[in-house]
Amino acid sequence: MRARRFEGMGPFIRLWSGQVVSLVGNPALRFTVVVQAWTQNERATPVVLLSPAAILPENLLPPPMAGALIDRVPRRTALQLADAGGLIVVAALALSYFLGSPHPWQVYATVALLGACTAFQNPALLSTVAVLVCEDQYQRANGLISSARKGAEICGPALGDLTVAASGISMVRWIGLVGFAAALTAVRTTRFPAHQKRTGSSPTTWRNGHGLAAAARSPRGRFRRPIGLS
């Protein structure tokens, strides 16, 4: 019975599993960067500067704006660009530490670029729901994505803290590399439909309206009855 609840979601579950590893590894890496910035000179200024560097890219690229850009390319390409971008950024950071201590601006740029990759990764993953999942599984797929994002915000820093205590900061960079590599591999191995449904409106408008309509038709849909009306 439990297996039938996810019937028809095989490709999406494969894609989601790879993205979960990336979603956890990204905040773990950003957390350890902040920890390292503090332990190097025990000054609060680098830590204060790293916080807006991580947050601003996601605020400057809100989901509607990022979604409009993602709609211009295929879903697979959008996810590949986000995951490959994160992989390149983490690899460049690891290389800079291997060659010597990186300059502060390199660390700030790394954190900002990782935030930008996350800003594109989240809406790109959400956009695959209408492509890979049957209509009656929309709510479950969106719930999996939301749980992964919220869980990563908690588990990512905790994983980074435990890894630093057990194996050192360098191991967290490997976790970041493995996370983005796993996400990119999942995208490459997931089969996307060759043709996607389109309407006269933009893809974003179609997807949002189609998802709301599906939720309204669902027996447990939140939009079946307006609040306050009997």
Side-chain angles (χ1 to χ4, degrees):
M1 179 68 67
R2 185 178 296 272
R4 294 186 61 183
R5 292 173 57 187
F6 298 94
E7 187 175 359
M9 297 182 64
F12 175 79
I13 293 295
R14 184 186 303 112
L15 179 68
W16 174 83
S17 301
Q19 299 300 314
V20 166
V21 181
S22 172
L23 288 172
V24 174
N26 192 338
L29 179 60
R30 286 191 280 181
F31 173 79
T32 54
V33 168
V34 174
V35 171
Q36 189 171 26
W38 170 257
T39 56
Q40 282 182 343
N41 50 24
E42 295 187 356
R43 295 177 58 188
T45 303
V47 178
V48 173
L49 292 177
L50 282 171
S51 298
I55 297 174
L56 280 178
E58 296 187 48
N59 291 332
L60 294 176
L61 290 170
M65 183 181 299
L69 295 175
I70 289 169
D71 279 335
R72 299 179 180 274
V73 297
R75 303 293 179 262
R76 183 198 296 273
T77 302
L79 276 172
Q80 286 183 142
L81 290 175
D83 295 331
L87 182 63
I88 293 172
V89 170
V90 177
L93 178 65
L95 180 61
S96 65
Y97 275 105
F98 178 77
L99 297 177
S101 181
H103 297 288
W105 69 266
Q106 293 175 313
V107 178
Y108 300 145
T110 298
V111 174
L113 289 173
L114 287 176
C117 291
T118 302
F120 281 101
Q121 183 185 30
N122 291 332
L125 181 59
L126 283 170
S127 69
T128 63
V129 172
V131 178
L132 297 177
V133 179
C134 298
E135 187 175 301
D136 58 348
Q137 298 281 19
Y138 281 177
Q139 289 183 333
R140 185 165 285 114
N142 285 320
L144 288 173
I145 294 176
S146 178
S147 300
R149 292 175 57 187
K150 297 303 181 183
E153 294 176 0
I154 300 173
C155 297
L159 175 63
D161 189 20
L162 293 174
T163 305
V164 170
S167 305
I169 293 178
S170 61
M171 182 58 66
V172 183
R173 291 191 285 271
W174 282 105
I175 292 177
L177 285 171
V178 171
F180 282 110
L184 188 59
T185 301
V187 176
R188 296 290 299 174
T189 57
T190 300
R191 296 184 60 183
F192 283 73
H195 301 285
Q196 301 175 13
K197 289 186 285 186
R198 291 279 192 256
T199 64
S201 57
S202 66
T204 301
T205 304
W206 172 83
R207 185 173 61 252
N208 293 340
H210 197 61
L212 290 174
R217 290 193 297 270
S218 173
R220 294 177 295 180
R222 296 182 180 180
F223 307 102
R224 172 173 291 274
R225 180 176 299 175
I227 297 176
L229 298 180
S230 57

